Amino acid sequence: MTYPQKGEIYLVRLPGQPKDKKTRPALIVSLDIRNRLANDVIVVPVSTTLRDSPTHVELPIGEGGLTQRSMAKCEQITTLDKSFLIRGPFSGKISPQKMSEVEEAIQKAIGVVL
């Protein structure tokens, strides 16, 4: 049986307003063992709106299968039930260097001093 893996990008439906049907890419950031055993995953939303921020990580075209230059918005880290994963993974995983940048940005977002 397959399961989402850390570093993969999935198209997800983020819970929000009841009328919000928009789907968007999200980066899986939870550990693979958790992804295999739990009914949910921890994700960071990905956006094509590019704004500099200490908690945003730029993801170039091709990274994890993205077709547009994007930003991982690490201050919006959230847990999603796997039923919110619509389609994925896009294509492979993001690079270990980018994953490290995402992890550092998550730490900044939650106030962990680096």
Side-chain angles (χ1 to χ4, degrees):
M1 176 181 249
T2 62
Y3 57 91
Q5 295 185 25
K6 183 176 181 176
E8 293 178 332
I9 297 175
Y10 276 73
L11 189 65
V12 304
R13 185 170 45 86
L14 293 174
Q17 299 299 323
K19 296 178 184 175
D20 188 6
K21 303 273 190 230
K22 185 176 182 178
T23 58
R24 68 172 54 253
L27 173 65
I28 307 291
V29 296
S30 44
L31 296 175
D32 287 342
I33 187 71
R34 184 184 190 290
N35 297 337
R36 184 168 54 89
L37 299 175
N39 292 325
D40 53 23
V41 291
I42 302 171
V43 301
V44 168
V46 174
S47 174
T48 55
T49 302
L50 307 175
R51 292 195 182 108
D52 277 338
S53 168
T55 58
H56 290 180
V57 175
E58 183 179 335
L59 301 173
I61 293 172
E63 193 78 39
L66 291 170
T67 59
Q68 295 183 54
R69 192 169 147 225
S70 303
M71 287 280 186
K73 299 171 97 177
C74 300
E75 76 280 5
Q76 294 183 17
I77 188 169
T78 190
T79 303
L80 292 178
D81 188 274
K82 287 179 183 173
S83 67
F84 286 91
L85 302 177
I86 306 301
R87 181 174 46 86
F90 282 13
S91 177
K93 297 180 181 182
I94 67 169
S95 70
Q97 178 184 341
K98 283 294 176 184
M99 194 68 224
S100 181
E101 289 178 40
V102 166
E103 290 166 347
E104 286 179 25
I106 291 169
Q107 290 177 329
K108 287 177 188 173
I110 62 172
V112 174
V113 178
L114 301 177

